[in-house]
Amino acid sequence: MSKSNSVLILTLFVFALGLASCNSQKINAGKDFVSLFNGENLDGWVGNKTSYRAENGMIVIDPQGTGGGNLFTEKEYGDFTLRFEFQLTPGANNGLGIHAPLEGDAAYVGKELQILDNTAEKFAELQEYQYHGSVYGVIPAKRGFLKPVGEWNSQEVIVNHPHIKIILNGETILDGDYLEASKNGTVDHKDHPGLQRSSGHIGFLGHGDVVRFKNISIKEL
């Protein structure tokens, strides 16, 4: 075998090892995530199964004037990383409840992370803490990173009580401590006893608009 061929084979071998290592890292990075939605039905979820339905691998909320209500995981979660994709319709308003009980307003007895069409004219004069990704009433999120309405957005929510980080389409839009942020009072000047909760249900909180969700998975920390 010539020297040049030996060098070529060695180079290809090193490249193959690097590729295998990269693929292994990708597999390991996702192996601890568990799907919260089987793509076929709402087994594992509780709440309003009339306005929410499983359709073509998505959870679709289609309230048809009923307000929407809530759909929660049967299981309770403490610290976690949650990944999901969502598709807004024009003017859509929803929420992601975390550390929530099954009764009461999750924005106060738990925590609500806004899911909202920031571009809608009717939302032009909301308070900062009401826009997409914000911990409602407590920590505002950065704006400008939602995809155009109708396109799919990807979001990651990392909760390590009392710290929370939200990544939208690859951009960190919120990174803070909700207890620290509220120690001198919340920005909406309301009581949020749920900020003290370190575990509870995860849920979608409907507000009367059509929103679609898919690829919902979680890794407990």
Side-chain angles (χ1 to χ4, degrees):
M1 183 182 296
S2 69
K3 183 177 180 180
S4 60
N5 284 342
S6 297
V7 171
L8 177 60
I9 291 172
L10 179 61
T11 301
L12 291 173
F13 178 73
V14 171
F15 175 79
L17 283 177
L19 185 60
S21 175
C22 180
N23 289 336
S24 176
Q25 289 174 3
K26 289 180 179 179
I27 292 170
N28 290 337
K31 72 177 184 178
D32 295 325
F33 279 83
V34 175
S35 179
L36 289 179
F37 172 51
N38 62 24
E40 298 178 355
N41 54 52
L42 296 179
D43 288 354
W45 296 80
V46 296
N48 186 343
K49 293 188 178 182
T50 300
S51 295
Y52 292 83
R53 66 177 184 269
E55 179 181 283
N56 299 324
M58 303 176 291
I59 291 179
V60 180
I61 175 172
D62 190 0
Q64 299 180 349
T66 65
N70 303 330
L71 184 72
F72 288 108
T73 57
E74 286 183 346
K75 183 177 175 180
E76 296 189 27
Y77 296 90
D79 294 337
F80 58 83
T81 297
L82 177 72
R83 293 174 177 171
F84 65 98
E85 295 177 56
F86 65 95
Q87 182 192 58
L88 297 171
T89 53
N93 182 10
N94 199 277
L96 178 71
I98 63 170
H99 294 169
L102 295 178
E103 301 294 334
D105 189 335
Y108 303 99
V109 297
K111 306 162 191 74
E112 179 175 357
L113 314 180
Q114 288 290 86
I115 296 176
L116 188 87
D117 171 17
N118 285 348
T119 65
E121 184 176 350
K122 66 180 180 178
F123 296 142
E125 297 184 6
L126 293 182
Q127 299 296 319
E128 284 189 333
Y129 58 78
Q130 293 177 294
Y131 287 101
H132 181 87
S134 299
V135 179
Y136 186 86
V138 183
I139 307 176
K142 292 194 297 183
R143 283 181 266 169
F145 300 99
L146 282 167
K147 292 185 178 180
V149 172
E151 294 187 17
W152 284 94
N153 296 270
S154 62
Q155 185 156 309
E156 182 170 273
V157 178
I158 305 166
V159 178
N160 196 338
H161 178 77
H163 184 263
I164 184 167
K165 183 176 183 179
I166 299 177
I167 302 169
L168 174 65
N169 298 321
E171 180 71 25
T172 298
I173 61 170
L174 185 146
D175 191 350
D177 180 319
Y178 41 77
L179 291 183
E180 180 68 21
S182 60
K183 68 179 182 180
N184 294 319
T186 58
V187 290
D188 68 354
H189 308 295
K190 295 182 179 180
D191 291 332
H192 287 256
L195 294 175
Q196 300 292 334
R197 290 176 61 95
S198 59
S199 66
H201 302 274
I202 294 171
F204 298 119
L205 314 176
H207 295 290
D209 305 303
V210 176
V211 183
R212 300 175 181 89
F213 302 94
K214 66 179 181 180
N215 297 330
I216 309 162
S217 63
I218 193 167
K219 177 172 69 173
E220 296 186 73
L221 304 177

